[in-house]
Amino acid sequence: MSASSQTFRLAPKAGLGGEIDRDKPLRFTFNGKSYQGYAGDTLASALLANGVDVVNRSFKYSRPRGVVAAGAEEPNAIVQLGASEAAQVPNVRATQQALYEGLSARGTNGWPDAQRDMMSLVGKFGGPFMPVGFYYKTFKAPASLWMTYEKYIRKAAGLGRAPGESDPDIYDHMNRHCEVLVVGAGPAGLMAALTAAAGGVRVILCDEQETFGGSLRDRDETIDGLPAPEWARQTIERLAAMANVTLLPRTTANGYHDHNFVTLHERRTEHLGDTAPMVDGRRRSRSRLHRVRARHVVLASGAHERPLVYAGNDVPGNLLAGAVSSYIRRYAVMPGRRLVLSVTNDHAYRAALDWQAAGGEVVAIADARANPDGELVERARAAGIRVIAGSAVIEATSDRKGHRVNGARVAAIDIEGFRLSGEAEVLACDTIASSGGYSPVAHLAAHTGIRPVWRDDILGFVPGQAVDPVKGFSVVGGAAGVYALPALLEGAAVKVTQALAADGIHVDASEPPAVESIREGEAIGLYHVPHDKPTMRAPKQFVDLQNDVTAAAIELATIEGFESIEHVKRYTAMGFGTDQGKLGNINGMAIAARCLGQTIPETGTTVFRPNYTPVNFGAIVGRHCKELFEPERYTAMHQWHVAHGAKFEDVGQWKRPWYYPQRVNGKLESMHEAVARECLAVREKVGVLDASTLGKIDIQGPDAREFLGRIYTNGWEKLAVGKARYGLMCKDDGMVMDDGVTTCLGDNHFLMTTTTGGAAAILEWLEIWHQTEWPELEVYFTSVTDHWATMTLTGPEARNLLAELTDVDLDRDSFKFMEWREGVVAGVPARIYRISFTGELSFEINVQANYAMQVWESLFAHGNKYGLTPYGTETMHVLRAEKGFIIVGQDTDGSMTPEDLGMHWCVGYKKPYSWIGKRALTRSDTRREDRKQLVGLKPLEADVVLEEGAQIVFDPKQAIPMRMVGHVTSSYYSPTLERGFALAVVKGGHKRLGERVYLPMADGKTHAAEIVSPIFYDPQGSRQNV
Amino acid sequence: MSKVVQFDPHPAQAAATQSPLHHVAAKPAVGETGVTLTERAFLDHLIVRGEPGVLAGAVEAVLGLELPTQPQRLARNETGSLQWLSPDEWLLIVAGGEGFRLQRELREALGEAHFSIVDVGGGQTLLELSGKHAVEVLMKSTVYDVDPRHFPVGKGVTSVFAKATAVIRRVDESRWELVVRRSFADYCLRWLLDAGEEYGIAHQPTQPAVASHRQTVTDTETVS
Amino acid sequence: MFHIYCPYCAEYREEEEFHPRGQAHIARPADPEATSDDAWGDYLFFRDNPRGVHHELWVHAVGCRKFFNITRDTRSYAILETYRMGERPTVTANGPEAVPSATATLTGALA
Amino acid sequence: MQRYSGFSLVKHALSHHENWQRHWRNPTPKKEYDVIIVGGGGHGLATAYYLAKEHDITNVAVIEKGWLGGGNTARNTTIVRSNYLWDEAAALYEHAMKLWEGLSQDLNYNVMFSQRGVLNLGHTLQDMRDIQRRVNANRLNGIDGEVVTPQQIKEIEPALDTSERARYPILGASWQPRGGVARHDAVAWGFARGADALGVDLLQQTEVTGFKILDGKVVGVHTNRGDIGAKTVGCVAAGNSGVLAGMAGFKLPLESHPLQALVSEPLKPILNTVTMSNQVHGYISQSDKGDLVIGAGIDGYLGYGQRGSYPTIEHTLQAIVEMFPIFSRVRMNRQWGGIVDTTPDACPIISRTPVRGLYFNCGWGTGGFKATPGSGNVFAWTLAHGQAHPLAAPFSIDRFRTGALIDEHGAAGVAH
Ligand SMILES: Cc1cc2nc3c(=O)[nH]c(=O)nc-3n(C[C@H](O)[C@H](O)[C@H](O)COP(=O)(O)OP(=O)(O)OC[C@H]3O[C@@H](n4cnc5c(N)ncnc54)[C@H](O)[C@@H]3O)c2cc1C
Ligand SMILES: NC(=O)c1ccc[n+]([C@@H]2O[C@H](COP(=O)([O-])OP(=O)(O)OC[C@H]3O[C@@H](n4cnc5c(N)ncnc54)[C@H](O)[C@@H]3O)[C@@H](O)[C@H]2O)c1
Ligand SMILES: Cc1cc2nc3c(=O)[nH]c(=O)nc-3n(C[C@H](O)[C@H](O)[C@H](O)COP(=O)(O)O)c2cc1C
Ligand SMILES: [Zn+2]
């Protein structure tokens, strides 16, 4: 394709096409066909330049659709972007997609493509049977067929498609803080930023478009003697030179959150290619989310033009008036040859003037006002343009396929009476541009709950009063309904000056630039153009183009009793699309208001929500994905575990060795085999566990002991220095929340251990009680979880092995069970605790983590002859379960009291202070005898390992629903006992030892088991006490 | 003051040590170096808790530092640095091996008062970030306002760092320090290398390469 | 997302550094054993839930680790004040929309 | 009531759809009703419907301060399932599930209940224990469900990353085939239309501002449109229940939190089922319109603003992209929030109150949409009989005093 395909591109001329670079032609494909455009084009402008009318098919009726707008409000030109599978981007607005070499896009709807769509037949012939809400009324019978119907409904759903492969690009976030954030870099935003910057404070100015300048890019007024686009360019340069100003072009403010937190989405490479190009061999993010906390937010987001709603207003060739100017002035593209303009205001006359100046034919301007008389009207008349006062385009006619406008029916209208007041005249044309007025972009303000307020003078909603009294917020320019350039520039400067003054920052508000002012006549409100037929019978008049919501649909919704605008929205899907109703909502609300006999403010608006324009998930996720999705916490021995083939278990964020499969006869052990080997090694020889992940809290202060007594269920007043004790913690509802061993290091000094998962929560638990309830207790808590590396050496040979490495006297009488000692292990100062979670003779060696590997490796250097075996959490679980030791969170679920666990020995009912959890234990429900209680289960068949989570019944013969009396909490095969065994909770279980229970399983089998004591191994505890 | 035991974690003879990041190799920047990341491992870190009125005198006497009582202040001298963490909590970082002696001297100076000093040196490490893009890397990582206008030299805060937490301090015009927990160090490092890639980030191996062993061998570990 | 002034750090910090911990000023009954089951249930589970001014407990979890109180409007999310533990709020509900902390409780009513 | 059918659509097409009747009337309030339902969400409307349909009590008003179904009913992610852990909860939600299965026909209104199945993923060993426990309990309670392997999961939902790459690889899931989603607005409208047709007055834009209580018994309500008398009042006001209880002079063990959700832009069909994960913390399904409907957990503070904090949205999407890396380039269209009334045990409160004649049905928190027909059904029974329906009895406020909580946090770990 050559440049000559760009039949709608204007010849070079001063003031036209300021944003394209004709020296940089770019090739792109659309629906598989190749075209050419220029650097600086948007995909939309390039398509228009090439005379592509149909860019997509509509959602419900599959009607051909063309470009209507030039910015974020575009509802039709929604394309699927991307040449490769991984680079697919669904639902890109062609009006906001910069052209790049090799860009490949297709319309999102239409089969085989938008031009030759087959689905349109359904739309054409099915349309009459698909009024708003039709699916609620049908597809109900027979009930069994609904899922089939739904499959077809779904097929028709959706716009673009998700990529089939993972995103090759990366995204990132930048946290920013500033005194003034200005959203929108049109005249108002530029002026606001200039003023704020003069105050020396940090200013961020962002604009969603490729280029700063906003509406100035489409204007020919002079500002300070410069053409508007030139003034904008120079102002931007001034700002760029200031150190306190950050300029973010191509950056959309998407969400305005509480307390002036604003998310800005900066598209950094989308204009360069499908995927982000590398720079100097380094990756860069495709887009970046700026998370901005601003002292003051200035909304300078301008106003969106409202199209008029008339029959056939969706056929390609119907555009917004302002968009016509934008395409001509920015891109030197004529979106047609012969224009009919239908307006309600002076401002939109520019479209006709621009059209004519560019060499197009202006057939007529239909002006809904009886006596238009502003300066621009006069200019148009003077230029020989026919102005038909008191009229509007009531219908666009089109070619047979509906691919392009071929005429406009213009008629005199009676707005008040909502009817025609004259005969319609047909004007041949290929383009209809309309302007029904302007809606201030109040979206962002609404995000934080600022309700829009209707203003009769400007015929639009503007943001209301801010709700947060602390943070600053102001609205300037078009967003505030201030449209005249002089007033808008001055207003922006004044508002920002005042805002800064409130913070004690003084700026000398420099004279606003001199602008010629243009006298504008008063605009008139027109939201729905009457037709010769009643709305329900007229050809479709579209309100929401993307969702195919017509004026008739809105009327029908109100007929059917949907009187709230929120109901209308949900019944018709108005504003649900990717454009969120930027174009159609206000018209739709006004139509609903008329149908209901209300005023527009009575009917009100629906709620604007983030995002202002859609943002891809990846950008919101930033770098919190893949390997950085969530931290992996490592112990000091982690690399050793990796090197020794450990399989890991996720416990909270920690990676814990789960088991260490060995290669036996060339084959890697299964978990079952590895665990059996590890278990036997511990029971018969010696094993070592990396227990570093247990939470550890250093507690110091004269009231430390008292504090422990209040927090734990059991007593601490008598625990002597040098001793350790197991403790149980409850919440104040009496339910067990954590456990662990706490050691008395000194009279005022304890070391508490917690479960791995509970560490952070328990530290906060201690703090909350201390800080809020018992501030008088003199005690401090400090986490030392990461400081200490912990190795549990356990098994009959533990003492012999450790003795080789330490100076501590390990003799059973001098270093007793539940005591701790300090000494040196493998040359490293250590604290050794004689506590046991396996039931075997155990020594927990704690050293400062940097020295851990020295000790760990020394253990192995000396341990071989004792059969030292590393073991993981699975083996630990088997061993502790054989001993009936609970795991909080596995054998408990937040509904178990210490009594339920059979741990009354760990409850100090006589303690003077009513410790946390005590009172709740005497409530009627916690005193019930038939509570679920922890017991052991012995499957009758020894080789059966019950399923963890299996439900228990007393009577296996009963019908479903069965009465369940408990469930299995822990269940393993014990290589020591050579049988399966389990811990379980059973109603009244403590009094049912010896009874039989049943476990009916999914495979139809029912297992039988005997209720036994939860201690399966060495009930006297003689092995740990040797 | 007798009822608290103190523990010197360092061996009497040099022992093999591993910093939390020992397993991560040095890596030069791709292209021009815009940020340099260096681990300052094996320092002694102590958490000192108590009322300012209780601590100030002893701190001044033992460390020669004025206890920073203003929030977010970081005081430094040749002995080390002392950072405000909360109204009754400070982070003291000194040369590896010095912690035990200083703790003992502080304990002696503080006598029977209510306070707490806890050695956390094995549990955290210090990363130094320098170079002209260091601030941007931080902006990608923490919600705290690290703009030099808001974060002058001599400030230190605890804040969110990626999905972990970090103590963030500005030690001079060009250098920032991050104190991160040992178990999160690998994650934080990977995060930083990724965040810094576009600026050209160099990672230098652990400094110093070996830990100093015990400075003064005391006769008894328990101060009583 | 909230911007919260920590009264201990004496500056505004981002919400991500904090955790809300429920209603402020909930005192544990001084003598639990003398407290009825109903009153204990109230203490455990029954909280003010006003649409309007609310006093709540927060912790500067990733920061100074101190608990403190916030008076906040649960409709607008505006933070009206923050104050330290042990202090009393200076802003309280008295606007017509604010819901007073219910005085009558359910004690015994369902028996 | 005008019957809806494919035939009626054709018929009305001929008259240009000008003759459709209203879904419901817009009546002027009567002086007094036998029963007033406060709250015109799904639950309140269902209550009114079943009162009229099953108990012949038709002198009923539903009083709604805004628009029908505009509370959480309008805001929820529409997941329907009944695989709850504890017997009491399972029975209640399964009761609802059975009603769902015939609801479109019963209401003559297509609520688009789509039984596309629900996956609850397990990523840790404890997740799997909990899943097995729940599925076993469900099975013995007669509720469908099975534990599925990663391979089976991949077949059910190919878009899901079931590989070992994940930070928390998927170890398995529970799978309830009868679970799914429904068109939330249609549920409210269907019940409203059904109730209206049976004579119930639906009073919109009418806010209850207080209760008229005589000698400890409720006799009516104050509203912004005047006082209305009632013999019995049932409050079904979700996030505003605490405020209403305050007006009646007592407290409820409720906290009203923001719960947020979001949708992507509409996409061509890509998801087959509903996928939920507690550990990675997010859930997702695709609506019949094509948008991905996504949610996760509540914001921790009280909030009546119908919006929450941004980090919650960030975390939610991190989870979604972790589970579905191919969605990285899919775009988020809109986010919003509701006000959920959470209880200490994540189970609802269906209960008498200290005021005679005044009943509350609330505390459905993050997961009551799925209960809508069941909740309305048992509450209607309760109001009609003046005593708790057997399925509702365990959900009395008493439990917070006795300690007999029904802790469903496990089942509701990720809000749904
Ligand atoms: C984001 C989100 C996602 C969710 N996802 C799911 C899900 O996937 N599955 C699921 O099962 N559940 C889900 N839920 C929960 C579910 O939405 C609710 O439990 C359920 O909709 C509650 O219905 P309701 O009728 O009780 O309440 P609502 O629909 O909230 O209705 C209560 C009504 O009471 C009205 N009201 C309040 N005060 C007054 C007054 N004083 N006078 C008059 N009227 C009053 C309100 O305006 C409102 O319309 C979700 C909730 C949210 C917010
Ligand atoms: N006289 C009239 O009737 C009339 C009507 C409409 C517009 N106007 C003209 O419009 C102009 C208004 O000036 P202005 O500065 O207020 O608006 P503007 O339209 O010139 O600039 C607003 C800018 O904000 C950007 N923007 C909007 N939302 C954004 C977001 N969320 N994130 C980032 N950027 C965003 C837009 O892309 C645009 O560039 C004036 O020139 C005025 O004359 C006049
Ligand atoms: C299941 C479900 C799907 C939704 N899909 C869309 C959607 O496709 N487009 C859209 O704009 N909003 C969608 N919404 C959100 C609504 O627009 C709206 O935000 C929500 O009902 C809350 O109301 P509010 O935002 O008016 O307060 C959806 C909501 C729900 C509950
Ligand atoms: Zn703080």
Side-chain angles (χ1 to χ4, degrees), chain B residues 72 84-85, chain C residues 6-10 13 18 60 63-66 68:
Chain B
Q72 278 82 248
W84 184 99
L85 293 182
Chain C
C6 172
Y8 295 99
C9 292
R13 306 282 281 255
F18 300 87
H60 193 179
C64 65
R65 301 201 295 123
K66 292 284 175 228
F68 63 97

Side-chain angles (χ1 to χ4, degrees), chain D residues 38-44 63-67 70-73 75-79 206-208 236-238 240 244 247 259-261 283 336 338-340 364-370 416:
Chain D
V38 184
H43 289 215
I63 301 189
E64 167 55 53
K65 71 178 164 129
W67 37 287
N72 290 341
T73 301
R75 284 148 215 287
N76 80 94
T77 46
T78 80
I79 299 173
T206 311
E207 177 163 5
V208 169
V236 203
N240 282 296
L244 281 166
M247 293 175 193
L259 176 63
Q260 305 184 66
Y283 61 84
W336 65 91
I339 313 163
V340 296
W364 293 93
T366 62
F369 176 71
K370 61 179 70 66
H416 44 90

Side-chain angles (χ1 to χ4, degrees), chain A residues 184 186-188 207-209 214-215 219 253 300-302 347 438 478 483 520 612:
Chain A
D207 195 290
E208 61 180 339
Q209 305 206 32
S215 56
R219 302 291 286 270
S301 46
H347 191 75
Y438 302 86
Y483 296 127
E520 288 197 3
Y612 176 70

Side-chain angles (χ1 to χ4, degrees), chain A residues 530-597:
Chain A
H531 192 269
D532 17 24
K533 292 186 185 154
T535 304
M536 303 285 278
R537 296 174 179 235
K540 291 193 167 58
Q541 304 161 325
F542 286 90
V543 175
D544 177 325
L545 289 158
Q546 191 173 91
N547 280 328
D548 272 356
V549 179
T550 60
I554 294 170
E555 189 166 322
L556 176 55
T558 59
I559 289 174
E560 290 196 74
F562 293 97
E563 298 182 346
S564 157
I565 192 64
E566 296 288 5
H567 276 153
V568 173
K569 161 182 161 174
R570 287 163 176 81
Y571 195 55
T572 64
M574 176 177 81
F576 259 67
T578 63
D579 58 324
Q580 291 284 292
K582 291 188 183 66
L583 221 51
N585 269 6
I586 303 292
N587 285 331
M589 291 158 195
I591 292 169
R594 184 176 47 71
C595 294
L596 295 167

Side-chain angles (χ1 to χ4, degrees), chain A residues 84-120:
Chain A
S84 68
E85 186 54 40
Q88 291 299 307
V89 192
N91 306 342
V92 171
R93 279 175 309 284
T95 52
Q96 288 198 301
Q97 174 61 53
L99 201 64
Y100 52 81
E101 179 63 29
L103 181 149
S104 166
R106 347 188 114 255
T108 55
N109 282 337
W111 184 86
D113 59 43
Q115 288 279 344
R116 305 164 287 168
D117 177 48
M118 303 301 290
M119 275 299 284
S120 62

